[in-house]
Amino acid sequence: MSNSKKLSPIYLQSIKIYEDPLNQRDLIREENNGKIGIYCWINKKTDKIYIGSGDPLYLRISDYYQAWYYLSHSNLYIVRALFKYGMSNFSLVILEYCKSDDLIKCEQKWIDKFKPEYNINPTAGNTKGYKHTIEAIEKMREIALGRKHTEDVKNLMSKSRMGKNNPFYGKKHSEESLALLKDAALRRINPPVSGIKVEITDLETKITTVYDSIRKAASGIGSDIKTILRREKLQIDKGINTPYKKRYIIIIKR
């Protein structure tokens, strides 16, 4: 990264800078585990930025390392940019730590100040003016009511993603994003159980714990291996990651 970029206002005003987030995940978790705050993705090629918030912070950031998140959020500008350029061409900075009650106010302050190009709308914690896709609306309804897609909805979802309506129409995935997609596909077939790290975030304590096997992770939250594997399949197939026992967010790192 050039010195001129390091001296730009958003770098100067940040409290932590990760110039290689693709390979600094462990450090990012260590330094932000259990904290609440505002983060920013900076495209090293274009200088465009995205500002977001997390409560807890690391749990939110960890989404960007998950294949299922990219597959289910391809309508977001920042996701498209990470697909196009690859995470290696982004810096991640932490702008501020704050209290949970002040999170939206703090995020709005930074959005107003830097006017991030990748944010869908200029209002923190608000989707006003953003039109959900048919698929997104049905997913939210499914989560709330436990319903399955009707054939009519499936047909509408399919049509809504055809041709120019597809967010990746006329585009190609970067090698990095293709690797993520390949990894997601491989995980569908008889995933091994032992030796796989599992991140579990306790929403009550806001602490993320990394277990070195699925068996140990299951034991740590009073569950079983099959339940955790079923939840991973749900993440990949449905693009959702609801808290287990309304408390634990589970992410398997393969």
Side-chain angles (χ1 to χ4, degrees), residues 240-254:
I240 58 176
N241 191 3
T242 55
Y244 176 62
K245 296 183 178 179
K246 298 182 179 180
R247 177 175 177 176
Y248 302 104
I249 294 292
I250 302 169
I251 298 174
I252 297 180
K253 298 173 63 177
R254 296 188 184 277

Side-chain angles (χ1 to χ4, degrees), residues 193 196 198 200 210-222 225 228:
V193 173
I196 298 173
V198 181
I200 296 183
V210 180
Y211 296 89
D212 58 14
S213 73
I214 295 178
R215 187 181 302 278
K216 290 181 181 178
S219 176
I221 59 174
I225 294 173
I228 291 183

Side-chain angles (χ1 to χ4, degrees), residues 37-64:
I38 314 301
Y39 67 92
C40 175
W41 286 106
I42 304 172
N43 189 323
K44 299 176 186 178
K45 299 287 187 181
T46 66
D47 291 335
K48 291 183 178 181
I49 66 174
Y50 174 82
I51 291 175
S53 62
D55 180 6
L57 180 58
Y58 175 70
L59 179 61
R60 179 67 188 91
I61 293 173
S62 70
D63 284 342
Y64 296 101

Side-chain angles (χ1 to χ4, degrees), residues 147-163:
R147 296 176 181 172
K148 294 184 178 180
H149 298 312
T150 64
E151 288 303 317
D152 288 340
V153 169
K154 288 180 181 178
N155 290 333
L156 284 172
M157 285 162 50
S158 178
K159 290 179 181 179
S160 72
R161 296 192 299 268
M162 295 176 66

Side-chain angles (χ1 to χ4, degrees), residues 8-66:
S8 66
I10 200 159
Y11 283 101
L12 290 173
Q13 295 181 44
S14 63
I15 58 177
K16 292 187 184 296
I17 300 174
Y18 305 100
E19 295 187 15
D20 185 18
L22 184 63
N23 296 306
Q24 291 181 288
R25 184 178 179 183
D26 289 342
L27 178 63
I28 293 169
R29 179 180 63 246
E30 178 184 337
E31 295 185 341
N32 298 281
N33 205 356
K35 295 182 179 179
I36 300 167
I38 314 301
Y39 67 92
C40 175
W41 286 106
I42 304 172
N43 189 323
K44 299 176 186 178
K45 299 287 187 181
T46 66
D47 291 335
K48 291 183 178 181
I49 66 174
Y50 174 82
I51 291 175
S53 62
D55 180 6
L57 180 58
Y58 175 70
L59 179 61
R60 179 67 188 91
I61 293 173
S62 70
D63 284 342
Y64 296 101
Y65 294 90
Q66 308 304 321

Side-chain angles (χ1 to χ4, degrees), residues 95-123:
L95 295 172
E96 180 179 4
Y97 295 129
C98 61
K99 296 179 180 179
S100 184
D101 291 343
D102 298 328
L103 187 63
I104 300 302
K105 180 175 66 176
C106 290
E107 182 182 0
Q108 188 64 58
K109 174 187 67 179
W110 291 103
I111 289 175
D112 291 342
K113 188 168 189 174
F114 289 108
K115 297 177 174 55
E117 297 87 346
Y118 288 136
N119 286 61
I120 289 176
N121 67 72
T123 305

